[in-house]
Amino acid sequence: MNLYAFILGRKHLLSIAEILHVLDPKDHIVDITHEAFIVDLHEELKKPQESLNRLGGTIKIAKIFSELSLSQSDFASPISEHLHRLFSDRDTKLSYGLSMYSFSQGYDRQIKNTLMKIKKSLKADGIKSRFINKNFKNVKNAAIAGEKLLEDGIDLNIINGTHNTYCAETVALQDFESYSHRDYDRPARDARLGMLPPKLAQIMINVAGFTTLNSDIDAKTLYDPFCGMGTVLTEGLLLKFNVVGSDISPEVIEGASKNIDWHIQEFTHTNQSQLLQPLFPKDATSLESKDFIQQPDCIVTESYLGPPQTHVPEPKIMKKNFQHIQETLTRFFRNAHPLLKPNTPIVISFAAYRGKGTIHTMEQLPEQIQNLGYKIEPLIPKEIAARHNLKSEQSLLYDRPDQTVGRQIWKFVRI
């Protein structure tokens, strides 16, 4: 068995949707919780870090080495046995961390007891050790990276599942520094355009359905008709897509082009040939087949989110904003239909306003798009949701507590 745990990010349903879209049909989903996705892969991950680098919604991947019954509370014994197998001949001090996932709140005491038992067991085996858990809390990724646990130590995880508890060793850690670099260090930024996070762009690209965990894609073309500062395009380059982009604003195109040039220089495993044609200024509602050197295999895009908002607008203003966005997107989908091959996926974000306990969305828009010759592909299918006690979701929300404007992520398929 090749049992792996994917530790999920803040928007766990989006993380789950992303993983579902990159799995091979031969892979077997074992368990899904609000913090972890357990899967038996049909083949071992060849390069775990490269696999994780493809996933915007997963914070780490861990290889499971022991399965316990839910009634078992002694986690220290199987972990100590695993550490003894790995480090019995080590003559330098071993650094390690321990995190627990999908347990009820207030499990600090369990972490403390387990850590102390592990340390005692290692000492009895003659292995000097130190744990890095601060105040017996879960270890943050920055601490794991700073202590170089994956290179010269070990990061351990205990995951409470539906039927079993799993002990796992971290084999890949989300490269938060790379995401930060791609987001904040690029030469052109414009807060008015919504600032699509690279992680979310990566999730949306993966939801299109062409990427896999273990290998690069085979020469697929991604098109972004509302490319803004080019985040979807640069993330597409990293995922080995050929990319094409356009935007209605020539000034925006200039900024996106700078970002793409910078990205190609910074990340040597991308290259200029993946940009199939120069970015071009074009109203997305009036695209023509002659605009493309190559017909796109998928569209991934952040649609216009409306004017920046510091608070939820009055109902009259909200209705006006939504109506304008809705009209633009309806024209775009109608115009795009004859330009696309049947079964072409379109992954797109719509604006959503986040009020106190309420999310305001463009409720009529998805039905209007379906009437134009598209079908909705649920981001979390009904059969998966039913099997793992999840809510079947046609779309998913990406938002932050401190922001008014969120994003509703949809996947449509051209009929």
Side-chain angles (χ1 to χ4, degrees):
M1 294 178 73
N2 295 307
L3 274 180
Y4 288 88
F6 292 72
I7 305 302
L8 308 175
R10 180 178 63 88
K11 303 299 287 186
H12 74 282
L13 292 176
L14 269 173
S15 302
I16 290 167
E18 179 184 33
I19 296 168
L20 290 173
H21 281 85
V22 301
L23 291 180
D24 188 279
K26 298 176 186 176
D27 299 332
H28 172 63
I29 301 169
V30 176
D31 206 347
I32 302 176
T33 74
H34 68 287
E35 288 191 303
F37 190 114
I38 311 295
V39 60
D40 183 8
L41 299 179
H42 76 285
E43 62 177 349
E44 190 173 15
L45 288 180
K46 301 169 187 173
K47 297 179 180 179
Q49 190 59 54
E50 289 187 12
S51 296
L52 181 54
N53 291 345
R54 294 186 173 101
L55 298 174
T58 298
I59 62 172
K60 59 180 170 179
I61 298 176
K63 182 78 181 288
I64 293 169
F65 59 81
S66 182
E67 294 181 69
L68 313 173
S69 68
L70 289 179
S71 61
Q72 184 167 337
S73 58
D74 176 18
F75 307 129
S77 294
I79 292 175
S80 297
E81 290 172 10
H82 182 68
L83 294 178
H84 180 77
R85 285 194 298 270
L86 294 177
F87 303 107
S88 59
D89 57 350
R90 186 178 178 115
D91 56 6
T92 58
K93 184 173 285 190
L94 171 67
S95 297
Y96 61 96
L98 173 68
S99 298
M100 298 180 73
Y101 297 100
S102 302
F103 285 81
S104 58
Q105 293 297 315
Y107 49 82
D108 304 4
R109 181 171 294 181
Q110 282 181 295
I111 291 180
K112 181 179 181 179
N113 290 340
T114 302
L115 284 170
M116 299 308 292
K117 288 179 181 178
I118 292 170
K119 188 173 179 64
K120 184 177 180 181
S121 176
L122 290 173
K123 185 177 181 180
D125 289 338
I127 302 172
K128 299 175 183 177
S129 69
R130 59 181 281 269
F131 54 80
I132 70 164
N133 292 67
K134 188 175 181 180
N135 299 323
F136 302 105
K137 306 285 186 183
N138 279 1
V139 184
K140 296 185 182 299
N141 276 16
I144 297 169
E147 294 280 351
K148 300 187 183 303
L149 292 192
L150 270 58
E151 294 83 10
D152 189 39
I154 191 167
D155 182 57
L156 300 157
N157 308 272
I158 304 170
I159 302 136
N160 201 35
T162 306
H163 305 292
N164 293 296
T165 300
Y166 305 92
C167 298
E169 173 186 347
T170 301
V171 293
L173 200 65
Q174 189 177 72
D175 191 346
F176 55 89
E177 290 183 347
S178 178
Y179 283 110
S180 179
H181 181 48
R182 278 137 62 184
D183 196 1
Y184 298 108
D185 295 339
R186 54 187 172 174
R189 291 169 60 83
D190 190 338
R192 297 170 301 170
L193 299 178
M195 307 291 282
L196 181 68
K199 289 181 186 180
L200 179 57
Q202 202 171 37
I203 290 171
M204 292 172 65
I205 294 169
N206 286 328
V207 165
F210 293 107
T211 46
T212 64
L213 283 173
N214 260 334
S215 59
D216 292 332
I217 62 165
D218 182 24
K220 297 296 182 183
T221 299
L222 178 154
Y223 171 54
D224 184 351
F226 303 91
C227 73
M229 289 290 104
T231 306
V232 167
L233 300 177
T234 52
E235 293 303 310
L237 291 173
L238 278 178
L239 291 170
K240 301 301 182 183
F241 280 85
N242 297 322
V243 301
V244 179
S246 64
D247 197 280
I248 195 171
S249 166
E251 292 79 11
V252 167
I253 288 292
E254 185 179 347
S257 298
K258 287 180 181 178
N259 285 340
I260 289 174
D261 291 342
W262 173 84
H263 182 96
I264 291 171
Q265 291 175 358
E266 289 291 303
F267 300 93
T268 55
H269 52 289
T270 60
N271 61 72
Q272 190 68 44
S273 66
Q274 289 175 252
L275 182 62
L276 292 186
Q277 62 190 81
L279 304 186
F280 58 96
K282 187 82 178 195
D283 184 338
T285 66
S286 60
L287 290 163
E288 303 171 83
S289 58
K290 66 180 182 181
D291 290 323
F292 304 98
I293 290 176
Q294 190 166 307
Q295 195 174 26
D297 296 296
C298 64
I299 291 177
V300 180
T301 191
E302 164 117 294
S303 70
Y304 177 55
L305 299 179
Q309 305 290 335
T310 56
H311 58 275
V312 177
E314 297 293 329
K316 185 177 179 180
I317 301 298
M318 185 187 302
K319 182 178 179 181
K320 181 181 177 182
N321 291 346
F322 278 171
Q323 185 174 351
H324 173 61
I325 296 170
Q326 220 160 284
E327 289 172 356
T328 300
L329 292 177
T330 302
R331 292 200 306 272
F332 161 68
F333 275 91
R334 181 185 294 113
N335 182 75
H337 191 273
L339 306 178
L340 302 175
K341 298 172 287 191
N343 299 315
T344 300
I346 300 179
V347 181
I348 187 168
S349 65
F350 297 158
Y353 291 138
R354 190 178 190 277
K356 291 183 178 179
T358 306
I359 302 295
H360 304 275
T361 62
M362 295 176 284
E363 296 178 0
Q364 298 174 347
L365 181 56
E367 184 178 351
Q368 292 173 353
I369 293 171
Q370 289 183 93
N371 293 337
L372 295 172
Y374 300 86
K375 64 180 180 181
I376 295 171
E377 186 172 299
L379 297 186
I380 297 181
K382 287 183 180 179
E383 61 272 18
I384 298 292
R387 198 180 311 147
H388 297 283
N389 198 29
L390 300 168
K391 184 179 178 183
S392 178
E393 300 284 2
Q394 286 193 313
S395 67
L396 289 169
L397 189 71
Y398 181 90
D399 63 341
R400 293 184 178 278
D402 59 339
Q403 293 178 336
T404 300
V405 182
R407 297 166 170 90
Q408 192 181 24
I409 312 300
W410 289 87
K411 182 177 181 180
F412 298 92
V413 177
R414 194 267 200 203
I415 297 173

